[in-house]
Amino acid sequence: MSIRDWPERERPREKLLSLGSATLSDAELLAVLLGSGSRGKDALALGRELLNSAGTLGALLGRPDQQVPAGGLGPAKRARIVAALELARRSLAEQLQEKPYLGNPRDSGDFLRARLRHLPYEVFGCLYLDNRHRVLGFEELFRGTIDGASVHPREVVRACLRHNACAVIFAHNHPSGVAEPSAADRAITHELRNALQLVGVRVLDHLIIGSGEPVSMAARGLL
């Protein structure tokens, strides 16, 4: 039996339109995006198989160039899912740009979490701000392996000057999902803060992105 033969209230697309997207499971949302299944599977069964094979939704969506170990996800379907994720990221970026200023870590946390949490490797990025703490832009500066990314203070200083930033928020992800700041995280944050003080750029925070809420080093008193 195909999804078209299901009762209307149980079909993912009709359920989304009548009850809202929040009522759908991850597999049902994937089914709507996929649009169709593959040989022997409807779209919902394919969505469930993809989630089971990848382990997590983040692992499934995180790398457009990484083949998911399950059948039925060709280039067109993969592109559709990755495009939806990118639209969500860009929407968060727009919301961040529209804020009159960033007043607390939560203002930037949602955006940075959407950008970095799903990645299977470590990324160090900078959110550049003007003298009123309005967003000038975000940039991924360094990429590493699952174990870490090397951060070079000279390149960070150069990037801040290039963006004419007066303040900056650092962010990096822990692919392990554990967002506790390490001794290395604290050391590089202090080194960067000291280097940027010389050119008049304030370090407002360093957010660690894991599987839960981002951890603010400023809120922990670690700056």
Side-chain angles (χ1 to χ4, degrees):
M1 180 184 293
S2 73
I3 288 179
R4 293 194 188 108
D5 299 320
W6 294 9
E8 188 169 318
R9 67 181 181 279
E10 295 180 13
R11 298 176 205 162
R13 185 184 304 163
E14 284 73 10
K15 186 176 175 182
L16 183 149
L17 292 173
S18 62
L19 301 176
S21 58
T23 64
L24 272 66
S25 67
D26 290 345
E28 288 174 323
L29 288 169
L30 279 172
V32 174
L33 278 174
L34 293 169
S36 62
S38 61
R39 184 177 299 176
K41 307 185 195 92
D42 58 43
L44 184 56
L46 178 57
R48 287 174 179 149
E49 182 178 343
L50 291 170
L51 284 170
N52 289 336
S53 297
T56 66
L57 185 61
L60 175 63
L61 302 179
R63 291 281 302 278
D65 58 337
Q66 190 176 57
Q67 186 175 2
V68 176
L73 191 62
K77 287 184 172 66
R78 183 69 177 174
R80 205 174 294 152
I81 294 172
V82 174
L85 181 65
E86 183 59 26
L87 284 171
R89 290 196 192 110
R90 293 185 185 189
S91 175
L92 285 170
E94 283 182 354
Q95 294 173 37
L96 199 63
Q97 292 276 2
E98 291 168 0
K99 286 182 179 292
Y101 68 94
L102 297 183
N104 61 67
R106 266 181 287 179
D107 290 337
S108 55
D110 288 342
F111 166 72
L112 293 169
R113 182 172 52 180
R115 285 296 299 261
L116 302 178
R117 183 172 64 174
H118 62 284
L119 299 174
Y121 49 84
E122 191 164 309
V123 166
F124 180 93
C126 291
L127 191 65
Y128 305 103
L129 310 171
D130 67 11
N131 60 354
R132 295 185 181 179
H133 297 176
R134 294 175 299 193
V135 176
L136 298 172
F138 174 78
E139 187 176 20
E140 292 182 10
L141 288 180
F142 307 104
R143 289 190 178 191
T145 65
I146 194 169
D147 298 314
S150 297
V151 177
H152 305 286
R154 182 171 65 177
E155 296 302 317
V156 175
V157 171
R158 184 179 298 169
C160 288
L161 294 176
R162 186 173 68 249
H163 285 83
N164 198 28
C166 293
V168 68
I169 294 173
F170 301 133
H172 80 277
N173 63 312
H174 283 179
S176 67
V178 179
E180 284 301 310
S182 66
D185 294 337
R186 296 193 293 271
I188 192 60
T189 302
H190 293 156
E191 187 176 351
L192 291 172
R193 184 195 61 190
N194 293 338
L196 289 171
Q197 279 179 344
L198 298 175
V199 294
V201 178
R202 301 185 307 280
V203 176
L204 302 183
D205 206 347
H206 186 165
L207 297 177
I208 316 296
I209 311 299
S211 57
E213 291 296 317
V215 171
S216 163
M217 290 182 66
R220 294 275 188 93
L222 297 176
L223 291 184

